[in-house]
Amino acid sequence: MRTVAEVGDGRRGLAPERRIRTRKGAARRRRVLKAAAGYLSLTVLGVAFALPFLWMVSTAFKEPWQTFQIPPVWIPSPVTLDNFIVGWTAVPFNRYILNTVIITAGATLGTVLSATLVAYGFSRFRAPGRELLFGVVVSTMMLPPQVTIVPTYMLFNWLGWVDTFKPLIVPSYLGGGAFNIFLLRQFFRTIPMELDEAARIDGCGSWGILWRIIVPLSKPALTTVGVFSIVYHWNDFFNPLIYLNSESRYTLSIGLKYFQNAYGATEINLLMAVSLIALVPILIIFFVAQKYFVQGITMTGLKG
């Protein structure tokens, strides 16, 4: 049986442990409160940014008399699909979406191919002035496209390409864009040069190294470039507006503007319905490629 003095000594021995537990508990509570505040802030910001999209989705399924009700009706009752049918058949959207698919597919293929070749050259071959030339290429990202639109239009007009799809597709095969070259070059530099040397010892040339080693190992970066290109050309409004004159060659973005001018001022529910249809392919592509897309962005940012 312990004496009073021993008990007292034991209590004095436990006191520091209790203080440590108290401090740990307070630190844990501070971390939980900090994390909760962060999640709450992100949730509020996320909802605020998502409100326009949610209103578009909601309005696409509303009857016309529900569109501008105050307070807004977020869950339409009754839900109608007539907006999609009436809006899609009001103008030739089938033709517009076919034109957009042709331009997007052709331009994306050219972007991925040419950007891969250029980035491979900058990342694997040594030549005098290589870094200077790469700096010049990257610096073109600072150049607004509106600066070059006049001489570019004069060139395409001289070639007889205006009011065709060529000005929207062919330039993609001439380099693929400075940002895409930069992105792929940074990713290619993360692949060890020892793989190239081993392949050369086995008799593989530069083309073989590119297609058998670099490209298979660069699927995330190539997917990222492809997704960027698809989104850009699918939503591009400026270039089709400049180069396409005939209504039969309009793209989806020009068709939406044409539809807005004709019906959007009074039939907002129809405009939101066709806009939602135009948005769905991009959402599907993003979610399907999300794994490679995030991986490509992350790995490209690890090494410079």
Side-chain angles (χ1 to χ4, degrees):
M1 183 175 183
R2 293 187 298 174
T3 63
V4 175
E6 290 173 346
V7 172
D9 291 341
R11 287 175 179 174
R12 284 196 296 271
L14 291 176
E17 297 177 359
R18 288 180 179 174
R19 285 199 296 269
I20 292 173
R21 285 199 297 270
T22 303
R23 290 172 183 169
K24 288 183 177 179
R28 187 164 50 249
R29 284 193 294 274
R30 283 196 297 270
R31 287 197 299 271
V32 171
L33 290 175
K34 189 176 180 180
Y39 284 123
L40 181 61
S41 302
L42 292 175
T43 302
V44 171
L45 288 174
V47 171
F49 280 106
L51 276 179
F53 175 75
L54 296 176
W55 186 83
M56 182 188 73
V57 175
S58 173
T59 305
F61 293 94
K62 288 178 183 175
E63 294 285 352
W65 56 271
Q66 290 182 307
T67 304
F68 294 110
Q69 275 192 332
I70 303 296
V73 177
W74 292 101
I75 300 177
S77 178
V79 175
T80 178
L81 299 178
D82 292 341
N83 298 331
F84 297 91
I85 300 172
V86 175
W88 196 257
T89 55
V91 295
F93 274 113
N94 290 330
R95 184 65 195 177
Y96 300 160
I97 201 168
L98 177 62
N99 295 340
T100 308
V101 169
I102 293 172
I103 294 171
T104 302
T108 300
L109 180 63
T111 298
V112 174
L113 283 176
S114 57
T116 300
L117 292 175
V118 177
Y120 179 59
F122 276 123
S123 64
R124 283 315 205 242
F125 296 100
R126 296 187 180 277
R130 184 188 66 169
E131 297 302 324
L132 176 62
L133 183 59
F134 181 71
V136 172
V137 171
V138 173
S139 66
T140 60
M141 288 193 293
M142 309 302 164
L143 196 64
Q146 290 81 4
V147 174
T148 59
I149 192 65
V150 173
T152 306
Y153 180 86
M154 293 174 66
L155 172 64
F156 290 146
N157 187 43
W158 179 73
L159 293 172
W161 288 4
V162 173
D163 202 24
T164 69
F165 294 158
K166 292 177 183 176
L168 306 174
I169 297 176
V170 174
S172 300
Y173 289 82
L174 305 177
F179 177 76
N180 297 323
I181 294 171
F182 172 77
L183 189 71
L184 290 179
R185 186 238 192 194
Q186 298 303 98
F187 193 91
F188 291 167
R189 292 181 65 180
T190 65
I191 300 174
M193 290 293 291
E194 288 77 8
L195 294 177
D196 297 28
E197 296 169 0
R200 291 188 187 281
I201 292 174
D202 291 338
C204 199
S206 298
W207 284 103
I209 293 173
L210 174 62
W211 299 116
R212 296 178 183 176
I213 296 177
I214 302 296
V215 170
L217 293 176
S218 305
K219 287 180 181 176
L222 296 174
T223 304
T224 302
V225 171
V227 170
F228 278 144
S229 179
I230 290 173
V231 172
Y232 173 77
H233 290 96
W234 186 272
N235 295 324
D236 188 18
F237 176 79
F238 182 70
N239 290 301
L241 181 66
I242 295 295
Y243 295 114
L244 301 178
N245 301 324
S246 303
E247 185 181 343
S248 61
R249 294 188 177 88
Y250 282 176
T251 60
L252 199 52
S253 56
I254 301 294
L256 284 173
K257 183 61 179 174
Y258 177 70
F259 181 86
Q260 183 185 12
N261 292 338
Y263 304 97
T266 56
E267 303 290 348
I268 295 295
N269 52 324
L270 300 183
L271 180 62
M272 294 299 104
V274 294
S275 299
L276 184 60
I277 295 175
L279 183 63
V280 166
I282 295 297
L283 291 178
I284 293 175
I285 290 172
F286 176 78
F287 283 113
V288 169
Q290 185 179 17
K291 174 185 174 184
Y292 290 110
F293 180 77
V294 175
Q295 188 179 358
I297 292 291
T298 305
M299 296 185 68
T300 303
L302 290 179
K303 295 183 179 180

